Amino acid sequence: MQRRILIAGGGFTGLTAAHRLSRVPGLSVSLWEKGNSLGGLAGGFQLGGHPIEKAYHCIFMSDTEIVRLASELGLAENVIWRPASSGIYLQGRVHPFNRAMDLLRFAPCPWLDRIRTGLVALYLKYRQHPEPFEAHRAMEWMERRCGRGAARTIWSPLLRGKFARYAPDVSMAWLWARLNIRARSRDGGGEKFGYFRGGFAVIADALTQSARNAGAEITCGRSIAELYPVGSGVEVVDSAGTRETFDRVLFTGSSRAFRRLLEKSPSTPPSYLDQLGAVPYLNAICLVFASRQELPAPFWLNVNEEGAPFLVLVHHTQMVPREWYGGLNVYYIGAYLDPQAPMYQLDDHAIERKWLDYLRQIYPEFDESRLVEKRLFRLTDAQHVVLPGHRAHIPEHRTPIPGVYLANFSQVYPEDRGTNFAVRDGERLAAMIRQDLAAG
């Protein structure tokens, strides 16, 4: 008799787990994806007839899990590594921000604060553990070590753009992890980012096909509405009211979504609901567009001007060949927003108008008439907020509901999120489920 496994969520965690578990004798694997496509936050679409992600994704040189998986799937040659240029827009101009000399030339920041910032960055690069930073707020910690001028021109704008109203309270452990990962993505030639020929969809498609070939049933447009422990299994009710029983269920959505689901079950411990609700989330908006015009923008431009309507401009074809997109230039504009924020309440057209007008402020030569195609995406629960003491709020993968597991980015600590960690957790959860089934 086969034992039934349900995976809720078709992002990289769910797809990796399905890829592994579908090959285990005696297991019948189903994966339900609420949306109409697979890949999660790295899900793709067609821009000008070419595959690309809804939200910008790349990999770092330290992202060994996803590179190893790509090799296993026969996609090693699809991985390319390219130097990546960065900049900061502040006080009406774009400042290069790639090497130590760029920091020393960063005029908006006082001279002494530039020196202090460089020394702090070097110090953080060689710290190996998050514990010394966990009790501290990043904005306060960086202001004390780097100076008020550095906080005003570099760190505060970045944290505000990333975390909105939560920015003053974000944990220093989060910022340490981000800076540490970026430092480890450098070699003698500077920082390098990775990308896949054909986009991240080539990995998602290969995982999907692998799981289906091994007998997994993968369905889009289906989700869990309720779940209850029953006997030695889990009874699941889908959004259409259909009931099924599974031996194990893996939920890969946000802790906030999981909390909403479990609130309907009287058997859920209130303390567990409190733990799930302790981590705030922000939504994201991404505008992806293709243009015949090449702007003189670096690959990654942080927008640090106070009052700017978006956080970042990514010049995707600064890093990968334009030939992949029919000779067009591809750009992303992105922002993280509280769902109640005035910007988030605007309709898509109003957001596009505000953002493209501001892009013209940064680059007066921007010619909107040369745009070929543009798409705007709203992504729910795209960014969890790491506050001091976050470790205490990290739920275990094995939940208090027998037979039910949870895997999401709030558990990827102190790292932030990314496809590499999604793959890592998919592998980890597949092994955990196999172990628990074997133990009875």
Side-chain angles (χ1 to χ4, degrees):
M1 179 178 175
Q2 288 195 317
R3 308 185 80 174
R4 303 189 68 203
I5 310 297
L6 174 62
I7 299 169
F12 273 62
T13 300
L15 289 174
T16 301
H19 164 68
R20 292 294 178 214
L21 291 171
S22 60
R23 281 168 165 66
V24 178
L27 297 188
S28 173
V29 177
S30 298
L31 184 149
W32 297 353
E33 164 54 41
K34 182 178 181 179
N36 58 10
S37 62
L38 300 167
L41 291 175
F45 73 105
Q46 295 285 313
L47 182 71
H50 304 280
I52 196 167
E53 294 71 49
K54 300 172 186 175
Y56 188 74
H57 280 72
C58 62
I59 58 175
F60 299 101
M61 294 179 72
S62 56
D63 288 346
T64 56
E65 301 285 347
I66 193 168
V67 172
R68 186 182 302 117
L69 180 63
S71 180
E72 176 190 327
L73 295 170
L75 299 169
E77 293 184 358
N78 287 61
V79 184
I80 67 163
W81 296 98
R82 295 289 177 88
S85 58
S86 301
I88 289 178
Y89 177 70
L90 184 62
Q91 296 182 2
R93 60 165 291 201
V94 174
H95 305 265
F97 220 79
N98 300 299
R99 300 178 183 276
M101 287 305 299
D102 291 329
L103 171 60
L104 294 177
R105 297 188 184 107
F106 186 54
C109 181
W111 171 254
L112 181 57
D113 287 8
R114 295 178 230 171
I115 301 294
R116 293 170 66 180
T117 298
L119 293 173
V120 167
L122 191 64
Y123 167 77
L124 294 175
K125 176 181 177 179
Y126 292 104
R127 300 303 95 190
Q128 299 301 312
H129 303 287
E131 286 80 6
F133 308 107
E134 290 182 330
H136 300 281
R137 292 175 172 82
M139 202 175 285
E140 293 175 356
W141 196 96
M142 294 303 270
E143 181 173 324
R144 286 198 304 271
R145 270 75 177 180
C146 301
R148 290 184 179 179
R152 185 184 68 253
T153 58
I154 301 173
W155 305 114
S156 293
L158 292 178
L159 289 165
R160 283 199 310 270
K162 181 80 169 178
F163 292 108
R165 64 188 174 94
Y166 299 104
D169 297 317
V170 170
S171 170
M172 183 59 203
W174 177 88
L175 184 56
W176 164 81
R178 298 305 296 163
L179 295 173
N180 194 268
I181 287 172
R182 293 289 293 268
R184 287 187 281 125
S185 199
R186 294 179 181 272
D187 60 15
E191 188 172 25
K192 289 185 178 179
F193 287 177
Y195 192 73
F196 297 98
R197 186 185 302 272
F200 283 75
V202 299
I203 308 294
D205 291 347
L207 288 170
T208 302
Q209 194 59 51
S210 169
R212 282 178 170 157
N213 288 346
E217 180 184 277
I218 297 179
T219 307
C220 290
R222 193 177 186 189
S223 62
I224 301 177
E226 302 174 47
L227 63 78
Y228 308 95
V230 53
S232 60
V234 184
E235 184 178 63
V236 172
V237 184
D238 73 8
S239 50
T242 304
R243 293 178 179 268
E244 295 191 48
T245 301
F246 295 88
D247 293 278
R248 295 290 189 272
V249 174
L250 168 59
F251 188 89
T252 66
S254 70
S255 292
R256 182 159 64 178
F258 194 48
R259 186 179 191 275
R260 287 196 300 267
L261 177 62
L262 295 184
E263 282 174 336
K264 303 172 186 177
S265 174
S267 61
T268 305
S271 60
Y272 186 64
L273 294 177
D274 291 343
Q275 184 182 32
L276 294 174
V279 178
Y281 281 83
L282 295 170
N283 293 353
I285 302 179
C286 286
L287 176 64
V288 194
F289 60 97
S291 173
R292 297 186 181 88
Q293 181 183 21
E294 181 174 11
L295 295 173
F299 160 66
W300 193 278
L301 181 66
N302 285 306
V303 181
N304 286 17
E305 201 77 86
E306 187 172 357
F310 55 82
L311 167 66
V312 66
L313 169 71
V314 179
H315 187 175
H316 180 53
T317 42
Q318 180 71 260
M319 189 181 79
V320 303
R322 283 180 294 173
E323 289 71 26
W324 290 7
Y325 305 96
L328 296 173
N329 298 280
V330 177
Y331 305 88
Y332 284 81
I333 295 175
Y336 293 97
L337 296 165
D338 190 297
Q340 306 306 317
M343 173 76 75
Y344 201 81
Q345 303 307 309
L346 298 176
D347 62 33
D348 291 358
H349 176 74
I351 291 173
E352 287 181 11
R353 184 72 275 133
K354 184 179 288 286
W355 283 7
L356 294 177
D357 285 348
Y358 196 85
L359 179 59
R360 188 175 295 106
Q361 178 177 320
I362 301 174
Y363 295 105
E365 64 269 43
F366 171 60
D367 184 353
E368 195 171 341
S369 70
R370 301 185 70 183
L371 265 61
V372 175
E373 186 178 348
K374 64 182 187 297
R375 294 280 298 276
L376 187 139
F377 298 96
R378 295 174 185 255
L379 306 167
T380 303
D381 292 351
Q383 178 65 57
H384 66 284
V385 182
V386 178
L387 302 174
H390 179 82
R391 190 186 292 273
H393 301 306
I394 300 174
E396 297 290 338
H397 289 306
R398 294 182 180 93
T399 75
I401 297 84
V404 179
Y405 303 78
L406 174 67
N408 63 44
F409 287 142
S410 75
Q411 298 160 301
V412 179
Y413 178 81
E415 292 89 355
D416 186 35
R417 57 184 173 78
T419 50
N420 183 69
F421 303 120
V423 167
R424 184 189 68 184
D425 279 0
E427 302 273 12
R428 180 179 294 167
L429 268 295
M432 186 179 294
I433 290 170
R434 289 185 64 181
Q435 175 186 336
D436 290 354
L437 288 171

